[in-house]
Amino acid sequence: QQQVKQSPQSLIVQKGGISIINCAYENTAFDYFPWYQQFPGKGPALLIAIRPDVSEKKEGRFTISFNKSAKQFSLHIMDSQPGDSATYFCAASVVLTGTASKLTFGTGTRLQVTL
Amino acid sequence: KAGVTQTPRYLIKTRGQQVTLSCSPISGHRSVSWYQQTPGQGLQFLFEYFSETQRNKGNFPGRFSGRQFSNSRSEMNVSTLELGDSALYLCASSPPRQGADTQYFGPGTRLTVL
């Protein structure tokens, strides 16, 4: 019930192309869906996040698309650059008690942007 | 503002030993969460503290424990280390208004158990 499934496991995209990473969830109580970017040797960095009352959110070259009925959300990276090469994690959270919540992460997608 | 800091960055221990990891949250953040990251299991939630109280706990054995101090700094302890405890341990802090779901991660402590 708490799982978040992420695909693909790895992705190779040419510079300037669009990178698309997909996630699906089961728990309809999830109410916050962030994406994190992680470079080797670093902790995950919050990239962009969306709540279920919005179908799309865009920040620069990064866009989250959210489909509540399908229980799916995706990250689109437009004009992908070699500097975007990293591991991307989707996540979801639900408020458990009061304002407490925990993040449930997808398994990660290793993105490589080639020249 | 300084980010989340974790010490030490690297640790090597042997089976049966215990270890304490430290996390200093972003100034003003009162919620601290801990995660274990391994290649096989990915990122898994350990526990979350707020105002020195554990609010939430993941599915880890009792060998994993934590605490939070009045200045919001947090420590996690792993007793009787096992080989499978080798992982990157990540701490994340959350700003009070946005709640615990907006989490900012530190660089992690890489623990190797031999």
Side-chain angles (χ1 to χ4, degrees):
Chain A
Q1 191 81 11
Q2 294 290 327
Q3 215 174 10
V4 176
K5 296 182 180 178
Q6 184 172 348
S7 63
Q9 189 174 357
S10 63
L11 183 61
I12 300 175
V13 173
Q14 277 198 320
K15 179 183 174 182
I18 302 173
S19 304
I20 302 174
I21 304 171
N22 300 299
C23 284
Y25 62 97
E26 292 292 327
N27 187 352
T28 55
F30 282 142
D31 58 1
Y32 177 71
F33 302 87
W35 285 88
Y36 283 84
Q37 178 190 57
Q38 186 176 29
F39 292 104
K42 305 285 186 182
L46 179 64
L47 197 59
I48 186 173
I50 198 168
R51 297 202 182 268
D53 54 344
V54 177
S55 61
E56 185 176 282
K57 184 175 181 180
K58 184 177 180 180
E59 289 183 3
R61 296 185 294 109
F62 301 91
T63 300
I64 299 179
S65 296
F66 186 81
N67 187 330
K68 189 173 181 178
S69 60
K71 293 186 285 186
Q72 295 174 347
F73 59 110
S74 60
L75 176 69
H76 293 63
I77 305 174
M78 312 300 287
D79 187 27
S80 298
Q81 299 296 313
D84 297 331
S85 298
T87 300
Y88 292 81
F89 293 92
C90 63
S93 72
V94 58
V95 174
L96 294 169
T97 54
T99 57
S101 65
K102 68 172 188 177
L103 285 171
T104 299
F105 282 89
T107 50
T109 296
R110 184 171 291 183
L111 171 65
Q112 183 182 352
V113 181
T114 61
L115 293 171
Chain B
K1 262 186 186 176
V4 177
T5 58
Q6 293 187 244
T7 57
R9 291 294 311 278
Y10 303 92
L11 264 178
I12 300 176
K13 293 285 187 179
T14 56
R15 278 185 302 172
Q17 286 188 309
Q18 75 166 15
V19 67
T20 299
L21 313 180
S22 181
C23 170
S24 292
I26 293 171
S27 177
H29 289 195
R30 293 166 62 191
S31 169
V32 173
S33 300
W34 288 88
Y35 293 82
Q36 181 196 64
Q37 185 175 24
T38 60
Q41 299 297 317
L43 280 149
Q44 292 190 293
F45 173 79
L46 280 156
F47 29 65
E48 186 237 349
Y49 286 87
F50 181 83
S51 292
E52 303 178 65
T53 300
Q54 186 182 89
R55 289 201 295 193
N56 198 6
K57 190 177 188 304
N59 298 321
F60 279 81
R63 299 185 297 107
F64 292 82
S65 62
R67 61 176 175 169
Q68 187 181 33
F69 302 95
S70 58
N71 61 358
S72 296
R73 191 177 70 85
S74 177
E75 289 182 346
M76 69 163 280
N77 183 277
V78 188
S79 63
T80 320
L81 284 166
E82 300 177 0
L83 295 177
D85 297 333
S86 294
L88 180 67
Y89 289 89
L90 292 159
C91 166
S93 72
S94 302
R97 284 188 180 182
Q98 290 168 272
D101 50 12
T102 305
Q103 299 186 21
Y104 300 89
F105 284 82
T109 294
R110 173 73 62 184
L111 172 64
T112 302
V113 181
L114 303 175

